[in-house]
Amino acid sequence: MPVLPMYFVYSLLLCLGSLILLPRFLFDAFRHGKYVAGFRERFGSLSSIKSKGQPVVWIHCVSVGETQAARPLVRAIRKRFPNQLIVISTITLTGQNLAREIFSQDAAKVFYFPFDWRWVVRRTLRAINPQTVLVLETEIWPGFLRECKQQLIPVAIVNGRLSEQSFRRYRMIKPFMKRVLSSLSVAVMQTEADADRLCALGMDASRTVVAGNLKFDAAAAPGGHPLTAEFRERFQLANDGDLILAASTHASEEVLVLNSFMQVWSRSESKLRLIIAPRHPERFTEVADLLRASGLRWTRRTAAPDAGDGQVDVVLLDSIGELNFVYPLASIVFVGGSIAKTGGHNVVEPAAVGAAVVVGPHTYNFQSIVEAFVKAGAIIQLPLMSDSAVIVELANVISDLLADPDRRRELGSFAQALVNENRGATERTLESISPLLSNPATVVEAVDSLSATGGLLP
């Protein structure tokens, strides 16, 4: 199929999909405020970057996880290329808020990524005028990549990953994916398996690099941060206290965690505490209603401090960007999205502070990392089972870890050591993308040369 019809079909499907999803979009917008923020920016209405002749590096992060992972890379780019301006884009509101906070001193602009229509992408590129675009993880927008290639703007995937599940979906449209991937100058992937899957879809192997996972470098141990001290003091969390943290939970997981916690809590002689951090802010009210009905003493993080905060059983972490500072206080961390079938979330951050980490069976988003942790005896992964069985099993795991501090410390020590062993992805990534940052025109010419000689599809 010729190039233009393939992209025309994609644009047509994008329009149809947008129309079909419009009622859901409006529902989420009115009920939760999703997508409303930055609506003009999503349509390419941006003030132009005042670069004063400085080259602009556009780094795209989808949401919170990618924004956190970008921190060491942003610092490294600023150090090696101090003359370059960095701008950051996200898709989600939570990612936007976090990016504005942690890159307030590093980024010339933080904005929303454009909708993938050609005229919108062109408006955005005109305003940003990037020298290079870096896309964290494998966020593939065909229209955006094609327009960047036509404007001779090199694009690199960094910290790329491609799960087996995503690979199977992309493989159904392999001819189109091969053309889309031809717009990339380089793909810096997390693992050999990720690289192999991307190459199987048509990415040129000579422009595919394995550098490891930036999240190992981003996972600092913020135990001495003022926010950590604030949590400890306000909620009277002892250094050796029995705090369980349920991080990045999804719908249905809070119910399971709460039921497990109540089983352990009812038979525990110590002052057992639980902090629940839902993954999505729009679910804070839903989880609050669940806690209200539980009969447990609880409070919100965002509530005004109260003298009784030190006596509550459960704290709802209804804030953005603070989860990292709670990890050092937790004895046991359950990482969510792993019982719910969403592929799991980042286990590296709690591992970096030496917490005992527990996950469910569905961890395909972090498959290689979780497999390495399991192999090293540095994590506990629950088997696939019914929800009722999960409640019992999770309660038993928590009880066993609380009763055996040596085992708990051993898990945390192994996990922390594994994180330290895998640091260094930032430097390897920077080496791979330095040609794009120092001399992008040469890179584009090299890619075009490959296209002309059959190394890539036109």
Side-chain angles (χ1 to χ4, degrees):
M1 183 185 292
V3 176
L4 285 176
M6 293 180 81
Y7 279 95
F8 174 78
V9 171
Y10 165 74
S11 298
L12 182 62
L13 291 174
L14 186 63
C15 290
L16 290 174
S18 300
L19 289 173
I20 292 170
L21 293 174
L22 183 60
R24 177 57 186 267
F25 171 86
L26 293 174
F27 174 80
D28 285 341
F30 283 112
R31 183 169 182 179
H32 303 300
K34 290 181 70 175
Y35 313 117
V36 174
F39 196 73
R40 287 170 56 85
E41 291 184 352
R42 296 179 200 269
F43 273 101
S45 181
L46 290 163
S47 57
S48 297
I49 297 290
K50 296 180 175 63
S51 63
K52 299 179 181 178
Q54 294 174 272
V56 175
V57 180
W58 176 352
I59 301 177
H60 174 55
C61 314
V62 183
S63 190
V64 171
E66 295 80 10
T67 303
Q68 294 280 19
R71 287 183 302 164
L73 183 61
V74 168
R75 288 195 296 266
I77 291 173
R78 286 204 66 192
K79 184 176 180 180
R80 187 174 297 189
F81 301 95
N83 190 48
Q84 308 222 5
L85 287 181
I86 294 174
V87 300
I88 308 285
S89 66
T90 72
I91 287 180
T92 69
L93 174 61
T94 52
Q96 187 77 188
N97 291 338
L98 183 63
R100 290 181 185 278
E101 178 185 341
I102 66 177
F103 297 126
S104 60
Q105 302 300 314
D106 299 307
K109 191 178 189 66
V110 178
F111 60 100
Y112 283 95
F113 192 79
F115 292 125
D116 203 33
W117 289 299
R118 191 174 190 181
W119 63 275
V120 176
V121 171
R122 283 182 170 178
R123 287 184 72 189
T124 304
L125 289 175
R126 204 158 42 238
I128 302 300
N129 190 26
Q131 169 190 272
T132 307
V133 177
L134 307 178
V135 179
L136 260 82
E137 307 214 353
T138 314
E139 182 78 359
I140 298 174
W141 291 101
F144 177 80
L145 294 180
R146 181 178 181 228
E147 193 60 38
C148 284
K149 184 179 181 181
Q150 290 184 343
Q151 294 191 27
L152 303 182
I153 302 167
V155 181
I157 285 178
V158 296
N159 209 44
R161 65 181 175 90
L162 188 62
S163 68
E164 184 63 38
Q165 188 177 40
S166 296
F167 172 69
R168 286 196 296 268
R169 289 199 299 265
Y170 283 135
R171 192 168 53 185
M172 297 171 65
I173 52 170
K174 182 178 176 179
F176 180 55
M177 287 306 302
K178 192 171 185 179
R179 295 189 187 277
V180 171
L181 294 173
S182 74
S183 298
L184 292 172
S185 298
V186 65
V188 186
M189 308 300 286
Q190 294 179 14
T191 68
E192 292 287 354
D194 294 314
D196 289 345
R197 292 186 192 114
L198 197 69
C199 290
L201 291 176
M203 182 67 192
D204 192 284
S206 66
R207 294 182 290 109
T208 306
V209 181
V210 176
N213 195 327
L214 292 175
K215 289 179 178 177
F216 284 106
D217 292 347
H225 195 278
L227 268 176
T228 303
E230 180 187 328
F231 273 96
R232 179 182 287 114
E233 182 178 352
R234 175 179 171 182
F235 300 108
Q236 297 178 25
L237 301 170
N239 289 332
D240 57 349
D242 296 329
L243 173 64
I244 300 161
L245 171 60
S248 300
T249 55
H250 287 250
S252 80
E253 289 182 328
E254 293 93 1
V255 174
L256 302 179
V257 169
L258 265 177
N259 277 282
S260 294
F261 172 77
M262 291 174 74
Q263 285 191 18
V264 181
W265 176 76
S266 65
R267 58 185 185 237
S268 175
E269 296 180 1
S270 61
K271 187 179 179 181
L272 193 62
R273 318 288 288 281
L274 173 67
I275 293 180
I276 298 181
R279 177 69 174 180
H280 298 115
E282 63 268 20
R283 297 192 56 252
F284 289 161
T285 301
E286 175 189 336
V287 179
D289 291 340
L290 183 65
L291 291 171
R292 194 173 292 113
S294 70
L296 294 166
R297 294 170 297 178
W298 71 282
T299 189
R300 290 175 176 263
R301 156 64 174 139
T302 57
D306 184 88
D309 286 346
Q311 303 304 315
V312 298
D313 305 308
V314 186
V315 177
L316 172 60
L317 189 63
D318 57 342
S319 57
I320 305 299
E322 294 188 336
L323 184 57
N324 268 7
F325 306 107
V326 182
Y327 284 134
L329 301 170
S331 300
I332 301 166
V333 176
F334 165 74
V335 179
S338 57
I339 294 175
K341 296 178 181 178
T342 59
H345 294 296
N346 190 1
V347 300
V348 175
E349 289 167 344
V353 298
V357 181
V358 181
V359 294
H362 304 292
T363 55
Y364 52 81
N365 286 340
F366 295 86
Q367 183 175 344
S368 61
I369 292 177
V370 171
E371 286 176 352
F373 273 83
V374 170
K375 186 177 180 180
I379 201 171
I380 294 176
Q381 183 166 29
L382 305 178
L384 186 63
M385 57 181 75
S386 66
D387 285 353
S388 58
V390 164
I391 293 171
V392 175
E393 181 65 17
L394 185 56
N396 288 338
V397 167
I398 292 172
S399 294
D400 290 345
L401 289 173
L402 291 174
D404 190 350
D406 290 340
R407 168 64 174 148
R408 202 167 66 227
R409 283 191 288 269
E410 181 184 58
L411 268 176
S413 178
F414 287 168
Q416 202 168 30
L418 192 61
V419 171
N420 291 333
E421 289 170 12
N422 283 275
R423 295 189 189 275
T426 302
E427 187 59 32
R428 291 188 290 270
T429 298
L430 192 58
E431 288 301 318
S432 299
I433 63 174
S434 285
L436 277 68
L437 300 173
S438 58
N439 198 350
T442 302
V443 174
V444 172
E445 288 172 6
V447 171
D448 287 345
S449 176
L450 279 173
S451 299
T453 58
L456 295 171
L457 287 173

